[in-house]
Amino acid sequence: MKRLLLFFLLFSTTLLQSATAQNTAYGDRIPAIRKGVSWIQNQAPTGAPYTFLLFCSVKNPASLDCIENLSHIQEQSDNKLCVVIIGRETDEELLPHIEGVLSPRFAAVSDPDRKIFDSFNVNFVPYGILVDAKHMTIWMGNPTQEQQSVIDLIK
């Protein structure tokens, strides 16, 4: 009986954390991140029909894999995809890990104070949100598991 109670408690706690991991839902309009942020290397992204926001930490190996994979997806998207990396670290900590992928369609912003993370209520990394040109959420989740879904949406 104690084991069952413990399992239920752990399960409900995990479910609650997952439910509050973000505050964006499919179809929600998200605010533009362009205002009030300091873009790494002063390079704000150019517009595209789709924008992928990647919340990450360069201390997390899965986040680094996502950055590399999104770079390849962006290159093959025929300029339909813009990628915005939102890193937990400072510019100096983030730059060595993303310098090779920065371009007009692949930009980054550091968020060491977690202002952007908190505004989206993101607690786990990597976490991604795909939005269309009207800033409407069309996909969100863990980009390490659902990359094919993202590719299918932008084709």
Side-chain angles (χ1 to χ4, degrees), residues 110-125:
S110 61
D111 188 31
D113 298 333
R114 296 188 47 88
K115 290 179 182 176
I116 301 171
F117 271 77
D118 290 346
S119 70
F120 284 89
N121 200 23
V122 173
N123 297 311
F124 305 100
V125 292

Side-chain angles (χ1 to χ4, degrees), residues 39-77:
W39 296 99
I40 292 181
Q41 293 187 336
N42 294 319
Q43 186 172 350
T46 58
Y50 299 97
T51 301
F52 192 93
L53 306 176
L54 176 65
F55 293 86
C56 68
S57 170
V58 295
K59 296 172 185 168
N60 178 310
S63 292
L64 295 174
D65 289 343
C66 286
I67 291 169
E68 183 178 334
N69 292 336
L70 283 168
S71 174
H72 296 301
I73 292 170
Q74 191 282 322
E75 289 170 359
Q76 297 169 359
S77 73

Side-chain angles (χ1 to χ4, degrees), residues 93-113:
E93 294 170 311
L94 192 56
L95 187 59
H97 300 279
I98 60 167
E99 197 167 24
V101 297
L102 292 178
S103 72
R105 301 264 179 182
F106 204 105
V109 61
S110 61
D111 188 31
D113 298 333

Side-chain angles (χ1 to χ4, degrees), residues 14-28:
T14 303
L15 187 62
L16 180 62
Q17 284 179 341
S18 297
T20 61
Q22 47 76 30
N23 62 3
T24 304
Y26 290 104
D28 279 358

